[in-house]
Amino acid sequence: MRKLLNTLYVISPDRYLALEGENVLVRENNKTVARFPLHNLEGIVTFGYSGASPALMGACAKHGISLCFMSQNGRFLASVVGEIKGNVVLRKQQYRISDNEEQSVMIARNMIIGKIYNSKWVLERSTRDHPLQVDIGKIKKVTMNLDGHLKKLINVNSLEEVRGIEGNAASQYFSVIDYLILKNKEDFFLIERNRRPPLDNVNAMLSFVYTILANECAAALSSIGLDPYVGFLHQDRPGRVSLALDLMEELRSVFADRFVLSLINKKIVKAADFTKKENNAVLMTDEGRKKILNAWQIRKKEVIKHPFLEEKIEWGLVPYVQSLLLARYLRGDVDEYPVFMWK
């Protein structure tokens, strides 16, 4: 099993990344403020526009280290891609299935079954863990509806049907997420899911964490030789990592949403970690992003038992393991894609 290494997050917009020997240098005002050995890293994510040296980009590509550039507000800008790994037969099979709706439906259906199942589990766990603090009646009503959506997915024949069921299920799921926010309700609440721009603190956190998770899914897919830009559920669009967005669907609630809720309920984030613009867009401060990324690194190291492999792995390896399982399905080694269904 692959070893989980560290991801370097550079938050300050004025810091430039360079290479010295086998080390990453973080520089500001022509001074080196930090140094990290390349062999300890599996990824680098930098926020802002200062950039990185061509030498460092080349070294990251050579060593298979993902290098991702984000805007200061957490929007994906670009990534450095090195030599394509894996074999051309696997990628050609991926492209063939992506162009075949009947075959794409089989993969997309399983991914959305995983997403709805995991969303239902997150809600049901809240009623078990906090029976006196959540509205059990309203949550149970939603989980029953999610059960109905799971049954509908069994007989779908088109991607349009899959997307319709996924959209309805997501809308119902987010309609009760606010009940799972148990602390700081005056500053953290979720009336509805919104983005571009996010209009409240919770949506700002969700969008930021989803972007980080999508980047990690894209890096995992690339590392085992799949093309993260060619998906089965999300339509192809220039610059969009469609397969990474497909893969992260089953991980949104159990990995990203639970993480955001824990930051709020443990009072790790506060109202001061956010700012509101004139257009009502809510943005995180540098300190807020730092808190989230530090906690994200800790969460990735938590050990779980993978429901399909029945082996203990770290949370941070789940995108990589699911990428491997997807590749096994595409090669014909397993009859169905083993979606991640967490308990």
Side-chain angles (χ1 to χ4, degrees):
M1 179 62 67
R2 174 181 174 181
K3 181 180 179 182
L4 179 65
L5 299 176
N6 296 312
T7 300
L8 171 63
Y9 295 98
V10 182
I11 300 174
S12 173
D14 300 320
R15 293 187 174 179
Y16 179 79
L17 303 179
L19 181 70
E20 182 179 81
E22 292 296 307
N23 297 293
V24 181
L25 300 184
V26 182
R27 298 181 60 82
E28 185 172 4
N29 297 325
N30 295 321
K31 295 181 179 179
T32 299
V33 296
R35 181 191 305 264
F36 302 92
L38 278 175
H39 67 266
N40 287 338
L41 300 175
E42 66 177 3
I44 301 172
V45 181
T46 179
F47 297 83
Y49 300 96
S50 294
S53 71
L56 177 60
M57 294 182 192
C60 288
K62 177 182 177 181
H63 295 291
I65 300 171
S66 65
L67 175 55
C68 180
F69 297 93
M70 314 281 279
S71 74
Q72 191 62 20
N73 297 328
R75 183 173 57 86
F76 174 81
L77 296 174
S79 62
V80 173
V81 179
E83 180 182 359
I84 297 176
K85 298 184 179 181
N87 61 73
V88 67
V89 176
L90 174 62
R91 290 189 295 279
K92 287 178 70 175
Q93 179 68 355
Q94 176 190 354
Y95 300 148
R96 280 192 291 265
I97 292 177
S98 178
D99 286 335
N100 185 309
E101 178 159 349
E102 183 178 349
Q103 292 180 294
S104 292
V105 165
M106 296 176 64
I107 301 174
R109 179 191 61 199
N110 279 16
M111 289 175 166
I112 299 307
I113 285 175
K115 176 179 183 176
I116 296 176
Y117 176 91
N118 290 333
S119 299
K120 176 175 173 282
W121 178 87
V122 168
L123 296 177
E124 288 187 338
R125 179 162 180 169
S126 72
T127 64
R128 184 194 70 190
D129 294 347
H130 309 286
L132 301 180
Q133 295 175 277
V134 301
D135 191 323
I136 294 179
K138 290 184 178 179
I139 291 177
K140 286 291 185 182
K141 183 178 179 180
V142 168
T143 59
M144 289 177 63
N145 289 336
L146 294 181
D147 268 332
H149 288 308
L150 288 172
K151 293 175 182 177
K152 291 179 183 178
L153 279 168
I154 296 174
N155 299 312
V156 296
N157 298 307
S158 70
L159 290 174
E160 184 178 355
E161 289 180 274
V162 176
R163 295 185 186 111
I165 293 172
E166 184 276 330
N168 288 332
S171 178
Q172 292 187 37
Y173 166 74
F174 278 113
S175 73
V176 293
I177 280 293
D178 189 63
Y179 295 119
L180 277 60
I181 300 173
L182 308 176
K183 307 289 184 180
N184 298 330
K185 294 289 289 187
E186 66 279 4
D187 297 316
F188 295 95
F189 49 84
L190 186 70
I191 298 175
E192 63 178 355
R193 177 76 179 113
N194 54 65
R195 51 184 181 165
R196 298 193 187 99
L199 301 177
D200 56 66
N201 297 344
V202 179
N203 273 295
M205 294 173 67
L206 287 172
S207 293
F208 183 71
V209 172
Y210 287 164
T211 300
I212 297 299
L213 180 57
N215 176 63
E216 296 193 359
C217 287
L221 290 163
S222 297
S223 72
I224 56 98
L226 288 170
D227 188 337
Y229 289 88
V230 179
F232 306 110
L233 175 65
H234 289 83
Q235 295 178 330
D236 295 340
R237 184 184 300 170
R240 181 164 77 172
V241 284
S242 296
L243 186 57
L245 297 178
D246 288 356
L247 187 67
M248 71 178 283
E249 289 293 357
E250 60 206 72
L251 303 178
R252 284 180 186 266
S253 59
V254 289
F255 200 168
D257 297 352
R258 287 181 64 233
F259 171 72
V260 168
L261 289 169
S262 70
L263 293 179
I264 298 170
N265 291 333
K266 292 179 181 179
K267 297 185 177 181
I268 294 174
V269 291
K270 303 182 185 303
D273 295 320
F274 301 84
T275 59
K276 195 164 190 175
K277 297 294 185 180
E278 293 180 357
N279 64 350
N280 292 322
V282 175
L283 306 177
M284 283 181 292
T285 64
D286 287 349
E287 182 61 27
R289 280 190 290 270
K290 183 178 179 180
K291 289 180 181 179
I292 291 174
L293 293 171
N294 286 340
W296 181 256
Q297 290 286 68
I298 294 171
R299 175 61 61 90
K300 284 171 60 177
K301 294 178 181 178
E302 289 184 6
V303 176
I304 64 168
K305 186 176 182 180
H306 192 279
F308 178 77
L309 299 179
E310 296 188 344
E311 295 180 7
K312 290 184 177 180
I313 64 170
E314 294 162 307
W315 259 119
L317 287 177
V318 172
Y320 176 75
V321 171
Q322 292 307 119
S323 298
L324 285 175
L325 292 173
L326 178 59
R328 287 180 61 186
Y329 171 75
L330 296 177
R331 288 194 297 262
D333 297 337
V334 292
D335 293 334
E336 283 190 281
Y337 165 61
V339 67
F340 184 85
M341 301 177 75
W342 182 235
K343 287 186 178 180

